[in-house]
Amino acid sequence: MSRQLSYAKAILEATDQAMGLSPDVIVLGQLVDTQSGIFGTTTGLVKKYGPERVQDFPVSENLMTATAMGAALTGLRPVLCHQRLDFMVYSLDAIVNWLGLWRFKSNMKSAMPVTIRTIVGKGWGQGPQHSKNLQAWFAHIPGIQVAVPATAYDAKGLMLEAILGETPTIFVEGRGLYSMTDEVPEQPYRVRFGQAVVRREGKDATVVAIGLMVPLALRAAALLDKEGISIEVVDPRTLSPLDRKTICDSAFKTRRLVVADGTWHSFGAAGEIVTSVVENLGDKLKSKPVRVTLPDSHTPMSSALEPKYYPDENDIVAAVRQTLK
Amino acid sequence: MSRQLSYAKAILEATDQAMGLSPDVIVLGQLVDTQSGIFGTTTGLVKKYGPERVQDFPVSENLMTATAMGAALTGLRPVLCHQRLDFMVYSLDAIVNWLGLWRFKSNMKSAMPVTIRTIVGKGWGQGPQHSKNLQAWFAHIPGIQVAVPATAYDAKGLMLEAILGETPTIFVEGRGLYSMTDEVPEQPYRVRFGQAVVRREGKDATVVAIGLMVPLALRAAALLDKEGISIEVVDPRTLSPLDRKTICDSAFKTRRLVVADGTWHSFGAAGEIVTSVVENLGDKLKSKPVRVTLPDSHTPMSSALEPKYYPDENDIVAAVRQTLK
Amino acid sequence: MELSHRTITQIGHYRDMDLTGTAPDTLLKLYFQMLRLRRTEEALHQEYHPADEMRCPIHFCIGQEAIPAALSLHVRPDDFIFSHHRSHGYYFAKGSPLRELFAEIYGKATGASGGKAGSQDISHSDTNFYSGAILAGAVSIAVGAAFGFKHKRTKQVSISGFGEGCTDEGAFWEAMNYAGKQKLPVLFVCENNRYATFSDQLKRQADDNVSARVRPFGVRATQIFGNDTVLAHRTIGAEIERLRNGDGPALIEAYTYRWNSHVGPEDDSANAYRQPGEMEFWKANCPIVLLGEKLRAAGLLTDALSARYEAEVAAEVAANFKFAKESPFPTDTHWRQMNYADASPLADRLLGVATRGAGFDQYQDEAKLGPY
Amino acid sequence: MELSHRTITQIGHYRDMDLTGTAPDTLLKLYFQMLRLRRTEEALHQEYHPADEMRCPIHFCIGQEAIPAALSLHVRPDDFIFSHHRSHGYYFAKGSPLRELFAEIYGKATGASGGKAGSQDISHSDTNFYSGAILAGAVSIAVGAAFGFKHKRTKQVSISGFGEGCTDEGAFWEAMNYAGKQKLPVLFVCENNRYATFSDQLKRQADDNVSARVRPFGVRATQIFGNDTVLAHRTIGAEIERLRNGDGPALIEAYTYRWNSHVGPEDDSANAYRQPGEMEFWKANCPIVLLGEKLRAAGLLTDALSARYEAEVAAEVAANFKFAKESPFPTDTHWRQMNYADASPLADRLLGVATRGAGFDQYQDEAKLGPY
Ligand SMILES: Cc1ncc(C[n+]2csc(CCOP(=O)(O)OP(=O)(O)O)c2C)c(N)n1
Ligand SMILES: Cc1ncc(C[n+]2csc(CCOP(=O)(O)OP(=O)(O)O)c2C)c(N)n1
Ligand SMILES: [Mg+2]
Ligand SMILES: [Mg+2]
């Protein structure tokens, strides 16, 4: 019952099981067929399912997405991998002008079940072209689901749900989460989209944390706990659809709100969440909501600047304190 | 003193004057050298400045942006035109992975004064691939300014400021604004970025309106005026930088907030503005803020669905009423 | 001989059409199909402004009937066609129902795409026809469909129709590279009509020859005089045959010409982009006239038959207009449902039905969120 | 003869290097430059883990010294070089200060990019050197610089360095099309080292021959054995000369080989992507050894000179490390200023100084917004 699996292994297991369950599931991406296997998330699949179902792809990100779309029209269920989200930017035309609107413009008659995995680099001087997180962009596009799993359990369940579901999905995976472990059942299971989860109950303030910020929020909660401050941590798990109800319920309960999101400050996901809460709660909040985000800046490479650029648990603690003032 | 000019003509005049003021200003884009001249915004320039400064470009949007970037490094100041914002999506890699971070990654030593004009189609069945507005995406990228002029006056002043300034800028132009006229001084002038303007003073509620929503908000204000409801209309004019102070000052004064933004609802510009206000005003608002936006859907082509899809002044009126309840 | 728009008008009157080896009834079918497409487009073109009910941009294909007619006799129902913005010819080629094209243009609920897409984004998934207005996008998706056919070892063929302008786009070359490398069963049909909107190919490319550029990518290419419908039929037939046998991909570059404005019935001649004499050359070499002459000379086409064809087509066009005009407008505003599939039958079957939390149904409609 | 990685190893030992026509001091400079680059890279490679202070990904170019050395003798200070991720050779070729490369890698404020970019995004604008990690992006920008040179009628040349992997990208082909059509003064240098990360060119492209594909786009192309530094020097010199005279663009495809892992000093051999015998072939045909042999045979290189070179280079490398290690880390957190230029000197001069409203300075820092 208490099988621990890393986030990376959970993704591998979900893909493996989806491929086992349906012969239509295929994996495309640069280097998916290598021993390294995208940080271990595809290792061994080519041996098990053969090179027709696990294919290396040219460094042609736009075509890769379009290939998946066309393949989906013939009944396949492609899973794409991008080693860095930055590389995937080349494919935005395919995503926003075609994939996202396919169902709509076919008058709901045609589906493209394509799953796009994309990894956000962080640390060790990834620098400005290897560390972007555009999850807010993706969540802005109608017709695309966006998963931001923070645990191995969710990574597996959401991945199975996406691959075997009917709506195109973008998976934003924090590289920093890959080695974190969690209890992960062996048999396949689903985590539905649009269902946030309360990771820790509390009463003094709500911290909505996304992806990599979830473990940091839990650490912040532990720190504050020592001072008798009780924090509720909500993990939306998917940004599109966004479970505004669970978030609002928590904020209504605690009456204080911090949103922790490791992406650029302005026009990002944190703003959407704050707005969703105040649209519903209005003046029920006892203090001003606070965002914990990256500054509106590209990523510095230097190891001396990275810690100043990326928010950590202390920034969350400080933000919570601000709401308690 | 009271020279009236259309929005389209104001853009043409700004470009013309910038070209006259600096020999380094050039215009690139599909069909910029034709009589039609991008809905009249470039007509005549090729005759006046010659084909070396006003160049048709292949249907290669990504390269067009990169060409402008490289040209800027040699001292030129390129102005690009995209007939539809949808086409520009091909160039997002050049924008988000290169243009936006050039200053940053050169340690502030290198500048790329590139102005990208992009037109948002609306109506007459433009449909899902000819009507997107991704202004919230652009405003999320560090290192890029975003102008959303709603009047001919602002279009001209912001355009001159962008072309002759040092920060790369994206101009989001509503096709629906092109024929609207305004008082526009003949001599060149500047409108600085990051300076919102109060288009109409009022005391009962603040409507922050973006681009095409500005005239609609003014119409809504006139309708409400008849009932004795007094609306303050704030036009941010630029989304990046965003003049949060003017917006917050107005909201603090009226204590009620509507944000009208003709783009997709979730993770859009309206959310950023609402959040910016409540982060600062907290419980000072007397009612829940309300967003007036597009639904989270691609654009239907049918003339029967377009009016249901696009918000109009009545939607703004209804939103204001909601804040007054 | 390499073809080029620079030299093609020197042909004068085209005399190389060769009926040998093409069955008489096929020839008549080709003629009929062209006539049908021509009259359909002419009618839409004429009605556009007076009716004022076709409220979407339309890129007419008058003058470019040869390729659609030739394709229409070779594609099978399970083949896919992916078209660019100038979609009517390809929609027609796929045998998709024309009345649903009319209804789509009229923005009606009975349209091929329920009135949501219009002329430049129309699709008809029942007959495997898809289109879209963003250049090169549909070419790339066509490659993906071919990938699927090869993967599943079917004998289906994916057909991608586009203009020479689309080859300016980098996306197009990614498609060539991958199709060539993987030997995918995809037929690229490039109707080279010289212009992208008002921009001459030679203003955008070093040479007006797409074929020479695709070959080193591993894509077989044939240039043809694109108004020779019989040649088009023969060439397409041969290439599709090879594709079904695993010998792909192939490109056919058909030099042809658009008679109308780039878009809509409005006159775009103020932009003065056409070469002198060019329109006259192409009208003199109208694909319908060229084939008609040959068919008459061969005694296959008579005045009576011609009149019967015209009547048949006129009746069809009238019926299509009637259907479009009488159809109801869409009223649907279930935006979420239009954009997202909430049902997941395969996941339900393979993983079991998992219910969702209360949040799911309500996250959309904040008004319902209460109790705040 | 067409070159290809499939057949190149059959050359055995390369014997075609021809010193004729290249001045002895040029030959020695080429040798010295290669040695300098090799020792620099070896030192960085060796120090990487023990020092644990180079905290960024580095793509080493050991084995690929010929092209950078050859380029370094032809580029002028006002020429531009744009590099991909494997940047050190091109940075070196542009004559940009190596100690600022070291400092950049160490993340120091004295680095070429102030420690903000690292090895794969480094630039040095004073010497017109730029790079970036997104494939094909810098190629496109190089075309833009060439556009600027042509527009301003200077005799500058824009040089773009990349690998064969980059040619998978559509963006690359847009660049070829436009450069070819506009005859821009840009030199494309493709170091074809067979692999993109662990993926063989023949897994991604129909043929391992970039040259054949660019030619129909109007780009002149030459294939060379990329470890023949003298040939590289001659070819690059001739092409740059033609470019300065308006006869552009050109591509040089240099077949060469990377000795190390794709990135970092870690061993990537578990991915088993190299062909048997390949590494041995390329090591035996090391560009430094090939030229050294010839120089010794010609009596130009002696043991004493070689020792002097080694000492000189060792001293330089040591000084560079010292500079990097002793330099301060950046402390700057003025994020807005780093990303946006608030000054606008040209606009001020041409349009007059317009002040901004109160909103401007405060919109960033909500804490300051008050009085709420
Ligand atoms: C990505 C993109 N950029 C620009 C456009 C605008 N546009 C619509 S049609 C067209 C010309 C297309 O020319 P071609 O591909 O030759 O087809 P034709 O219209 O001649 O049939 C252009 C540039 C577009 N639809 N998509
Ligand atoms: C757009 C994009 N996609 C993927 C990558 C990941 N990537 C980094 S280097 C590389 C291989 C490049 O191969 P090549 O261009 O031949 O240069 P080489 O490394 O062999 O010198 C890849 C795929 C990238 N940097 N950019
Ligand atoms: Mg054309
Ligand atoms: Mg390589």
Side-chain angles (χ1 to χ4, degrees):
Chain A
M1 248 321 284
S2 160
R3 200 180 65 126
Q4 294 286 314
L5 219 59
S6 72
Y7 190 93
K9 287 255 162 59
I11 291 170
L12 175 61
E13 185 167 281
T15 314
D16 187 355
Q17 291 180 345
M19 295 184 83
L21 285 165
S22 163
D24 289 327
V25 178
I26 60 168
V27 177
L28 299 180
Q30 293 151 34
L31 313 181
V32 294
D33 60 349
T34 60
Q35 180 59 25
S36 309
I38 319 288
F39 311 112
T41 60
T42 64
T43 307
L45 292 177
V46 69
K47 213 164 174 185
K48 189 158 172 190
Y49 298 106
E52 292 204 3
R53 290 184 67 193
V54 183
Q55 292 201 19
D56 190 23
F57 206 87
V59 198
S60 311
E61 286 82 3
N62 197 63
L63 201 257
M64 189 161 91
T65 308
T67 298
M69 291 165 62
L73 287 180
T74 71
L76 294 174
R77 291 178 173 264
V79 180
L80 306 182
C81 302
H82 296 279
Q83 294 242 15
R84 288 286 182 287
L85 190 147
D86 312 66
F87 307 160
M88 174 190 172
V89 176
Y90 269 134
S91 71
L92 283 173
D93 182 77
I95 293 172
V96 73
N97 275 325
W98 296 93
L99 182 59
L101 50 73
W102 196 263
R103 171 181 167 86
F104 175 83
K105 92 184 184 83
S106 77
N107 201 23
M108 303 178 279
K109 282 187 240 157
S110 183
M112 282 187 170
V114 172
T115 302
I116 303 175
R117 292 181 46 208
T118 182
I119 300 164
V120 178
K122 186 183 165 193
W124 200 262
Q126 294 298 310
Q129 287 188 344
H130 274 57
S131 57
K132 262 176 219 76
N133 185 341
L134 296 173
Q135 62 194 18
W137 281 24
F138 305 148
H140 188 46
I141 315 171
I144 306 267
Q145 297 185 140
V146 181
V148 287
T151 65
Y153 179 92
D154 285 351
K156 177 172 173 183
L158 288 166
M159 184 77 66
L160 280 162
E161 179 75 12
I163 298 175
L164 301 173
E166 306 302 319
T167 301
T169 304
I170 297 176
F171 248 79
V172 182
E173 304 169 8
R175 178 70 182 82
L177 291 166
Y178 269 34
S179 57
M180 298 186 72
T181 59
D182 190 18
E183 190 176 321
V184 177
E186 196 157 347
Q187 83 282 11
Y189 59 91
R190 315 171 69 166
V191 172
R192 303 298 301 250
F193 281 66
Q195 260 179 247
V197 67
V198 175
R199 292 252 170 248
R200 176 191 172 117
E201 299 207 4
K203 60 182 182 27
D204 295 324
T206 293
V207 177
V208 179
I210 304 172
L212 255 170
M213 299 305 278
V214 172
L216 296 183
L218 292 171
R219 261 188 259 165
L223 289 173
L224 287 162
D225 197 46
K226 291 189 197 138
E227 306 174 23
I229 300 170
S230 148
I231 295 308
E232 180 143 312
V233 176
V234 180
D235 173 358
R237 305 205 281 193
T238 67
L239 290 183
S240 175
L242 178 64
D243 178 359
R244 294 184 166 102
K245 173 143 176 32
T246 300
I247 292 169
C248 289
D249 283 349
S250 174
F252 184 63
K253 177 175 129 189
T254 66
R255 304 293 173 112
R256 292 186 173 88
L257 177 66
V258 168
V259 182
D261 167 31
T263 73
W264 294 321
H265 182 82
S266 295
F267 299 84
E272 178 62 28
I273 291 171
V274 170
T275 295
S276 298
V277 170
V278 299
E279 274 174 338
N280 289 292
L281 269 66
D283 59 2
K284 302 281 191 309
L285 288 186
K286 286 196 196 135
S287 60
K288 298 171 184 171
V290 178
R291 291 186 267 188
V292 177
T293 65
L294 295 183
D296 285 329
S297 170
H298 293 281
T299 314
M301 164 265 169
S302 175
S303 60
L305 291 177
E306 281 182 341
K308 298 183 184 187
Y309 178 73
Y310 286 108
D312 63 11
E313 59 262 43
N314 297 317
D315 297 299
I316 300 175
V317 166
V320 170
R321 281 197 217 286
Q322 206 173 308
T323 66
L324 293 169
K325 256 193 232 150
Chain B
M1 250 322 284
S2 161
R3 200 179 63 125
Q4 294 285 314
L5 219 59
S6 73
Y7 189 94
K9 287 257 163 57
I11 292 170
L12 175 60
E13 185 167 281
T15 314
D16 187 355
Q17 292 181 344
M19 295 185 84
L21 286 165
S22 164
D24 289 327
V25 177
I26 60 168
V27 176
L28 299 179
Q30 292 151 36
L31 311 180
V32 293
D33 60 348
T34 60
Q35 181 59 25
S36 309
I38 319 289
F39 311 112
T41 59
T42 65
T43 307
L45 293 177
V46 69
K47 214 166 174 182
K48 190 160 171 189
Y49 298 104
E52 291 205 3
R53 291 184 65 191
V54 183
Q55 292 200 18
D56 190 23
F57 206 88
V59 199
S60 311
E61 286 81 4
N62 196 63
L63 201 256
M64 188 161 92
T65 308
T67 297
M69 290 165 62
L73 288 180
T74 73
L76 295 174
R77 290 177 174 268
V79 180
L80 306 182
C81 302
H82 297 278
Q83 294 239 18
R84 288 285 181 287
L85 191 147
D86 313 65
F87 307 160
M88 175 191 172
V89 176
Y90 269 134
S91 72
L92 283 172
D93 181 78
I95 293 172
V96 73
N97 276 324
W98 296 93
L99 183 59
L101 52 72
W102 195 263
R103 173 182 167 84
F104 175 83
K105 93 186 182 80
S106 78
N107 201 23
M108 302 178 279
K109 283 189 240 156
S110 184
M112 282 187 170
V114 172
T115 303
I116 303 174
R117 292 181 46 208
T118 181
I119 301 166
V120 178
K122 184 183 165 191
W124 200 263
Q126 296 298 311
Q129 286 189 344
H130 275 55
S131 59
K132 259 173 222 78
N133 185 341
L134 296 174
Q135 60 194 19
W137 280 24
F138 304 148
H140 189 45
I141 316 171
I144 306 266
Q145 298 184 139
V146 182
V148 287
T151 66
Y153 180 91
D154 286 350
K156 178 173 171 183
L158 288 166
M159 184 77 67
L160 279 161
E161 179 75 13
I163 298 175
L164 301 172
E166 306 302 320
T167 301
T169 304
I170 298 176
F171 248 78
V172 181
E173 304 169 8
R175 177 74 181 84
L177 291 166
Y178 268 35
S179 59
M180 297 187 71
T181 60
D182 190 18
E183 189 178 320
V184 178
E186 196 158 347
Q187 82 281 9
Y189 59 89
R190 316 171 69 167
V191 171
R192 302 298 302 251
F193 280 67
Q195 261 180 243
V197 66
V198 176
R199 293 251 168 246
R200 175 191 173 118
E201 299 207 3
K203 59 182 180 29
D204 296 325
T206 293
V207 177
V208 179
I210 303 173
L212 256 171
M213 300 304 278
V214 173
L216 297 183
L218 292 171
R219 260 188 259 165
L223 290 173
L224 287 161
D225 198 46
K226 292 187 197 141
E227 305 175 25
I229 299 170
S230 150
I231 294 309
E232 180 143 311
V233 176
V234 180
D235 173 359
R237 304 205 284 193
T238 67
L239 290 182
S240 174
L242 177 64
D243 179 359
R244 295 184 166 101
K245 173 144 177 32
T246 301
I247 293 169
C248 288
D249 283 349
S250 174
F252 185 63
K253 177 175 129 189
T254 67
R255 305 294 174 110
R256 291 185 174 87
L257 178 67
V258 168
V259 182
D261 167 31
T263 73
W264 293 322
H265 183 82
S266 296
F267 299 83
E272 178 62 28
I273 291 172
V274 169
T275 295
S276 298
V277 169
V278 299
E279 274 175 339
N280 289 291
L281 268 67
D283 60 4
K284 303 281 191 310
L285 289 185
K286 287 196 198 137
S287 61
K288 297 172 187 170
V290 178
R291 291 186 268 188
V292 177
T293 64
L294 296 182
D296 287 328
S297 170
H298 292 279
T299 313
M301 164 266 167
S302 175
S303 60
L305 292 178
E306 281 183 340
K308 298 184 183 184
Y309 178 72
Y310 287 108
D312 63 12
E313 59 263 41
N314 297 318
D315 296 299
I316 299 176
V317 166
V320 169
R321 281 196 218 287
Q322 206 172 309
T323 66
L324 293 169
K325 257 191 233 152
Chain C
M1 190 200 60
E2 294 273 297
L3 286 172
S4 151
H5 274 291
R6 276 165 302 176
T7 54
I8 209 161
T9 52
Q10 293 160 16
I11 292 176
H13 196 69
Y14 181 79
R15 301 191 189 285
D16 296 342
M17 188 181 289
D18 181 5
L19 307 191
T20 327
T22 306
D25 70 312
T26 302
L27 293 169
L28 285 173
K29 269 191 207 146
L30 285 171
Y31 182 83
F32 177 73
Q33 286 290 69
M34 285 202 285
L35 193 75
R36 228 180 122 207
L37 179 57
R38 169 73 57 91
R39 296 291 177 254
T40 297
E41 289 285 273
E42 283 173 345
L44 289 169
H45 194 265
Q46 274 155 32
E47 277 292 297
Y48 195 90
H49 278 308
D52 205 27
E53 289 177 271
M54 296 175 242
R55 296 172 172 255
C56 69
I58 300 185
H59 303 82
F60 294 98
C61 66
I62 297 175
Q64 301 186 198
E65 292 86 359
I67 290 291
L71 271 174
S72 75
L73 302 195
H74 288 300
V75 290
R76 298 192 192 155
D78 65 347
D79 292 334
F80 284 30
I81 290 188
F82 296 87
S83 164
H84 62 160
H85 54 284
R86 201 171 302 286
S87 63
H88 299 190
Y90 293 102
Y91 183 96
F92 176 94
K94 194 68 198 58
S96 306
L98 289 183
R99 64 179 204 166
E100 293 189 31
L101 170 70
F102 278 60
E104 183 65 24
I105 296 173
Y106 274 75
K108 297 301 180 74
T110 54
S113 307
K116 302 214 173 74
S119 168
Q120 56 182 355
D121 285 308
I122 188 170
S123 63
H124 193 270
S125 51
D126 290 347
T127 53
N128 298 319
F129 171 82
Y130 301 103
S131 80
I134 298 293
L135 293 185
V139 179
S140 309
I141 300 172
V143 167
F147 173 97
F149 298 153
K150 186 180 174 208
H151 186 89
K152 295 183 164 244
R153 296 185 164 65
T154 67
K155 295 265 174 194
Q156 287 157 281
V157 168
S158 178
I159 293 155
S160 164
F162 52 88
E164 85 303 327
C166 154
T167 72
D168 289 3
E169 296 286 3
F172 179 82
W173 298 98
E174 293 189 3
M176 292 309 112
N177 180 52
Y178 193 63
K181 164 68 195 128
Q182 299 289 355
K183 302 205 169 302
L184 299 179
V186 52
L187 179 66
F188 301 109
V189 180
C190 176
E191 286 185 280
N192 186 329
N193 64 6
R194 182 163 195 162
Y195 300 104
T197 322
F198 319 137
S199 182
D200 193 324
Q201 187 174 11
L202 292 170
K203 251 176 116 183
R204 299 174 281 107
Q205 300 174 8
D207 197 3
D208 60 340
N209 182 326
V210 171
S211 302
R213 276 181 288 144
V214 304
R215 287 188 193 112
F217 283 81
V219 178
R220 185 167 68 240
T222 317
Q223 295 186 314
I224 63 172
F225 184 73
N227 285 9
D228 180 341
T229 318
V230 183
L231 175 61
H233 178 261
R234 207 160 47 227
T235 311
I236 291 170
E239 288 297 13
I240 287 186
E241 207 42 46
R242 289 179 72 174
L243 294 181
R244 290 204 204 283
N245 292 325
D247 188 15
L251 179 140
I252 294 171
E253 185 173 16
Y255 286 79
T256 184
Y257 203 69
R258 133 173 88 70
W259 292 10
N260 293 98
S261 299
H262 166 68
V263 61
E266 284 72 23
D267 182 15
D268 62 11
S269 60
N271 292 297
Y273 59 100
R274 299 181 192 268
Q275 296 299 309
E278 205 173 55
M279 182 70 89
E280 294 67 26
F281 167 80
W282 286 102
K283 285 204 167 168
N285 287 289
C286 164
I288 302 178
V289 169
L290 286 182
L291 181 56
E293 284 170 359
K294 285 276 181 188
L295 292 181
R296 282 179 191 274
L300 289 168
L301 187 67
T302 60
D303 285 351
L305 186 58
S306 178
R308 215 183 69 207
Y309 283 173
E310 292 281 5
E312 198 172 314
V313 167
E316 186 191 10
V317 168
N320 289 339
F321 271 121
K322 188 164 170 347
F323 177 77
K325 291 182 186 188
E326 290 178 357
S327 286
F329 278 110
T331 53
D332 193 4
T333 53
H334 296 99
W335 304 112
R336 175 172 169 80
Q337 194 186 316
M338 291 185 216
N339 289 274
Y340 297 87
D342 283 336
S344 49
L346 184 71
D348 289 354
R349 186 159 61 77
L350 296 177
L351 300 171
V353 180
T355 52
R356 294 193 242 218
F360 185 77
D361 298 322
Q362 299 180 15
Y363 64 84
Q364 260 216 110
D365 187 351
E366 284 84 21
K368 280 199 213 129
L369 278 183
Y372 317 115
Chain D
M1 188 202 62
E2 294 273 297
L3 286 172
S4 150
H5 274 292
R6 276 165 302 175
T7 54
I8 210 161
T9 51
Q10 293 160 15
I11 292 177
H13 197 69
Y14 181 78
R15 303 193 187 280
D16 296 342
M17 188 181 290
D18 180 5
L19 308 190
T20 327
T22 307
D25 72 311
T26 302
L27 293 170
L28 285 173
K29 270 191 206 145
L30 285 171
Y31 183 82
F32 178 72
Q33 287 289 69
M34 284 202 285
L35 193 74
R36 228 179 122 206
L37 179 56
R38 170 72 56 89
R39 296 292 176 253
T40 297
E41 289 286 275
E42 282 173 345
L44 289 170
H45 194 267
Q46 272 156 31
E47 276 292 296
Y48 194 90
H49 278 309
D52 205 26
E53 289 177 273
M54 295 176 244
R55 295 171 175 257
C56 70
I58 300 184
H59 303 82
F60 294 97
C61 66
I62 297 175
Q64 300 186 202
E65 291 86 359
I67 290 291
L71 271 174
S72 74
L73 303 195
H74 288 300
V75 290
R76 297 191 192 157
D78 65 347
D79 292 334
F80 284 30
I81 290 188
F82 296 86
S83 164
H84 62 160
H85 55 284
R86 200 171 303 286
S87 63
H88 298 191
Y90 293 102
Y91 183 95
F92 175 95
K94 195 66 197 60
S96 306
L98 289 183
R99 65 179 202 165
E100 295 188 30
L101 170 69
F102 278 60
E104 184 66 24
I105 296 173
Y106 274 75
K108 297 301 179 75
T110 55
S113 306
K116 303 215 172 71
S119 168
Q120 57 182 354
D121 284 309
I122 188 170
S123 63
H124 192 269
S125 51
D126 292 346
T127 54
N128 298 319
F129 171 82
Y130 301 103
S131 79
I134 298 294
L135 292 186
V139 178
S140 309
I141 301 172
V143 166
F147 174 97
F149 298 152
K150 186 181 175 206
H151 186 89
K152 296 184 164 241
R153 297 186 163 66
T154 68
K155 294 267 173 192
Q156 287 157 281
V157 168
S158 177
I159 293 155
S160 164
F162 52 89
E164 86 302 326
C166 153
T167 72
D168 289 3
E169 295 285 3
F172 180 82
W173 297 99
E174 294 189 1
M176 292 307 112
N177 180 52
Y178 193 62
K181 164 67 195 132
Q182 299 289 354
K183 302 205 169 301
L184 299 179
V186 53
L187 179 66
F188 301 109
V189 180
C190 177
E191 287 186 278
N192 186 330
N193 65 6
R194 183 162 195 163
Y195 299 104
T197 320
F198 319 137
S199 181
D200 194 325
Q201 186 174 11
L202 293 170
K203 249 176 120 182
R204 297 173 283 108
Q205 301 174 7
D207 197 3
D208 60 342
N209 183 326
V210 172
S211 302
R213 276 182 288 145
V214 304
R215 287 188 193 114
F217 283 81
V219 178
R220 187 168 66 240
T222 318
Q223 294 186 315
I224 62 173
F225 184 73
N227 285 8
D228 180 341
T229 317
V230 182
L231 175 61
H233 178 262
R234 208 160 46 228
T235 312
I236 290 171
E239 288 297 12
I240 287 186
E241 207 42 45
R242 289 178 72 172
L243 294 181
R244 292 205 202 281
N245 292 325
D247 189 13
L251 180 140
I252 294 170
E253 185 172 16
Y255 287 78
T256 182
Y257 204 68
R258 137 173 85 68
W259 292 10
N260 294 97
S261 299
H262 167 68
V263 62
E266 283 72 24
D267 182 16
D268 62 10
S269 61
N271 292 295
Y273 59 101
R274 300 181 191 267
Q275 296 299 310
E278 206 172 53
M279 182 71 90
E280 293 68 27
F281 166 80
W282 286 103
K283 285 204 168 168
N285 288 288
C286 164
I288 303 179
V289 169
L290 286 183
L291 181 55
E293 283 170 359
K294 284 277 181 188
L295 292 181
R296 282 179 192 276
L300 288 168
L301 186 67
T302 60
D303 284 354
L305 186 59
S306 178
R308 214 181 70 207
Y309 283 172
E310 292 282 6
E312 200 172 312
V313 168
E316 187 192 10
V317 168
N320 290 339
F321 272 123
K322 187 163 166 358
F323 176 77
K325 290 183 187 188
E326 291 178 357
S327 287
F329 277 111
T331 53
D332 193 5
T333 52
H334 296 98
W335 304 111
R336 174 171 170 80
Q337 193 187 316
M338 289 184 220
N339 289 276
Y340 296 88
D342 284 336
S344 50
L346 185 71
D348 289 352
R349 186 158 62 75
L350 297 176
L351 301 171
V353 180
T355 52
R356 295 193 240 216
F360 184 76
D361 298 321
Q362 298 180 15
Y363 64 83
Q364 258 217 108
D365 187 351
E366 285 84 22
K368 278 199 213 129
L369 279 182
Y372 317 115

